[in-house]
Amino acid sequence: MNQLHIVMFGVVPYIAAAIFVVGHVWRYRYDKFGWTTRSSEVYEKRLLRIGSPLFHFGILMVAGGHVVGLLVPREWLSAIGIDEHAYHLGAMVLGTIAAVMTLSGLVILVYRRRTTRSVFLATTVSDKVMFVVLGATLLFGTAATVLVQIFGGGYEYRGTISPWFRSLIVFQPDIELMSQVPGMFTAHIMSAMVLFAMWPFTRLVHVWSAPIGYLVRPYVVYRSRDPRRDPAARPSRPGWVPAGLPAPTRAESGRTGTGRTGPTGPSRRP
């Protein structure tokens, strides 16, 4: 283990976590109006309807797989009947499906953003950097699954990466566990740290803004308009009348509509 490994797996994770937490607090306190997805649905909907569900459902599957793989010890899974073979088979099958969905959705969304002029003009610099880092993280993770786990003989990351990750949570990083991790997994981990560090300063903050309040908010009550306050129900007032002509009565004004003289105005009385 060299100094670079100590920095990569013992220092950088805490720096990324600190930026992640403090950045979100700062963003929420000082940029609440910018806490949004900056939706571009109004500009283009056809590709969005395809790419957005693919990406979001796929990324939820990816997140769920990482939670189980990193936070749940293999002994716990063995205790409920999920052995090594069953776990890796499920991880490879579901992980591949999730990766295909997520990457396909991301490609469609990036293509839409690049080819639709109005959407491209609404794309900020932080959006472009975020898409690059997010895409790199997904590609490294997919490559680790396909090249190492499926075609490369497999790697038991639950004996190295998972314990290392849990050791970070209790502030006792076991850096020795990461000394023999394959390069593709290392690239995936480092790109993920960069993504988490820049997360608070991008549109990704909308992840924490689920509309849960809609489930418990009171109903919107619609009331009919009071007819006594309806302007259409009020009697019309006499309009302007040239000098020398008698002003029309209220009834006549109501029949003529405006009470003005002219082709449609009141006629001269004898």
Side-chain angles (χ1 to χ4, degrees), residues 17-96:
I19 296 175
F20 182 83
V21 174
V22 176
H24 275 92
V25 173
W26 174 87
R27 180 79 180 271
Y28 186 77
R29 285 178 59 88
Y30 297 103
D31 190 27
K32 288 184 179 180
F33 289 104
W35 191 289
T36 173
T37 61
R38 294 192 297 275
S39 175
S40 58
E41 182 180 2
V42 68
Y43 302 126
E44 197 280 335
K45 295 182 179 180
R46 184 177 62 87
L47 292 175
L48 185 65
R49 289 172 180 169
I50 302 173
S52 183
L54 275 175
F55 174 79
H56 285 91
F57 283 115
I59 203 69
L60 287 175
M61 294 175 62
V62 170
H66 280 70
V67 168
V68 175
L70 294 176
L71 296 180
V72 180
R74 52 185 171 184
E75 293 80 13
W76 293 11
L77 295 178
S78 298
I80 60 176
I82 302 178
D83 58 12
E84 199 77 18
H85 175 72
Y87 171 81
H88 282 291
L89 180 62
M92 284 190 295
V93 173
L94 296 178
T96 302

Side-chain angles (χ1 to χ4, degrees), residues 111-131:
Y111 173 81
R112 167 184 176 270
R113 188 165 290 275
R114 187 63 186 87
T115 57
T116 306
R117 177 176 172 78
S118 54
V119 180
F120 181 72
L121 292 176
T123 304
T124 63
V125 175
S126 66
D127 292 333
K128 297 176 183 178
V129 177
M130 181 270 295
F131 279 123

Side-chain angles (χ1 to χ4, degrees), residues 207-227:
V207 171
W208 318 117
S209 299
I212 300 176
Y214 281 93
L215 301 177
V216 296
R217 74 173 187 175
Y219 291 103
V220 178
V221 179
Y222 291 92
R223 294 184 174 89
S224 61
R225 181 181 295 174
D226 188 349

Side-chain angles (χ1 to χ4, degrees), residues 181-262:
V181 173
M184 202 60 68
F185 281 93
T186 301
H188 177 58
I189 293 170
M190 299 310 298
S191 61
M193 291 183 190
V194 175
L195 180 64
F196 279 104
M198 63 182 298
W199 190 303
F201 313 105
T202 65
R203 67 172 63 213
L204 293 177
V205 294
H206 78 275
V207 171
W208 318 117
S209 299
I212 300 176
Y214 281 93
L215 301 177
V216 296
R217 74 173 187 175
Y219 291 103
V220 178
V221 179
Y222 291 92
R223 294 184 174 89
S224 61
R225 181 181 295 174
D226 188 349
R228 293 172 298 179
R229 298 183 179 181
D230 188 358
R234 298 176 183 175
S236 58
R237 298 178 180 179
W240 177 82
V241 179
L245 294 179
T249 63
R250 187 175 296 275
E252 291 174 339
S253 176
R255 288 196 302 269
T256 58
T258 61
R260 293 177 296 179
T261 58

